Amino acid sequence: MKKISLLMAFLLVFGVAFAASQPVEGKKFEFSTGLSFWSYSFHYQNEPTGYKDVETYFNIPFRLGWFFWKGLELEPEFMLTAYHESYSYTGYSYKYSETGWLLSGNLLYNFKMKNPHLLPFVLAGFGFGNGVPYGEYIEKWGSTAKATTPNFGVGLKYVFNKTAALRLEYRYRRFRIKQTEEGVSISHVTLNTVIGGLSLFF
């Protein structure tokens, strides 16, 4: 009985110490999502009357983080990309849509500041998927594309009442894409992205 009591006491003290060490006091998990949006259009001289080519794409990440030791956080991330292209001129129009995905495992370090609302962080990780979060490439590579990439980033969370935060981050990725649809080909793409979003702590 004494051993059980001592074990329970140890776990209680350890649990309190562990919780106190968290970047957001009393919270061990973080769910976050965000949005990165691009849109661009092409206009060339000497094209048919009314020529217009517009491409847009969204990157939407879904993450579930676990604060497992002090400022360290393990954060799996699933990123969904939606791409749409609209091409038209007088008497002709063409539309195309495609989706892609990227699954990553990231490790974050959150820096606890004197200001409890500010929570800067750095991250590193690795991911794989069926393309890159850049619609034009997803369109060209099709269903046989396999992509891998390291993830590196820095960011800032602005915490409200220890329950939610605005999250802004910069992300660097260097993709290696293997395509086997028409013979084996390997490409490399570098992406620099800014992602804004929201976090919930529990």
Side-chain angles (χ1 to χ4, degrees), residues 73-131:
E73 180 181 5
L74 183 63
E75 189 178 70
E77 176 185 67
F78 177 78
M79 182 172 289
L80 181 67
T81 295
Y83 168 75
H84 180 75
E85 179 183 10
S86 175
Y87 175 83
S88 63
Y89 56 85
T90 304
Y92 176 82
S93 65
Y94 166 81
K95 293 182 179 180
Y96 177 84
S97 297
E98 184 62 276
T99 58
W101 60 270
L102 182 70
L103 181 62
S104 302
N106 297 322
L107 184 65
L108 284 71
Y109 187 81
N110 300 273
F111 297 89
K112 198 167 184 178
M113 309 292 285
K114 290 183 178 179
N115 185 336
H117 296 293
L118 299 179
L119 197 61
F121 65 92
V122 295
L123 71 84
F126 189 82
F128 66 93
N130 69 341

Side-chain angles (χ1 to χ4, degrees), residues 39-44 47 50-56 83-89 94-96 136 139:
S39 179
Y40 51 95
S41 60
F42 299 93
H43 302 281
Y44 300 109
E47 290 290 345
Y51 171 85
K52 188 177 183 181
D53 185 4
V54 179
E55 299 183 18
T56 59
Y83 168 75
H84 180 75
E85 179 183 10
S86 175
Y87 175 83
S88 63
Y89 56 85
Y94 166 81
K95 293 182 179 180
Y96 177 84
E136 182 179 346
E139 175 188 1

Side-chain angles (χ1 to χ4, degrees), residues 8-30:
M8 294 298 289
F10 172 77
L11 290 176
L12 179 62
V13 171
F14 179 78
V16 170
F18 184 82
S21 70
Q22 302 305 303
V24 180
E25 187 176 349
K27 309 297 183 180
K28 294 184 180 179
F29 299 97
E30 173 187 3

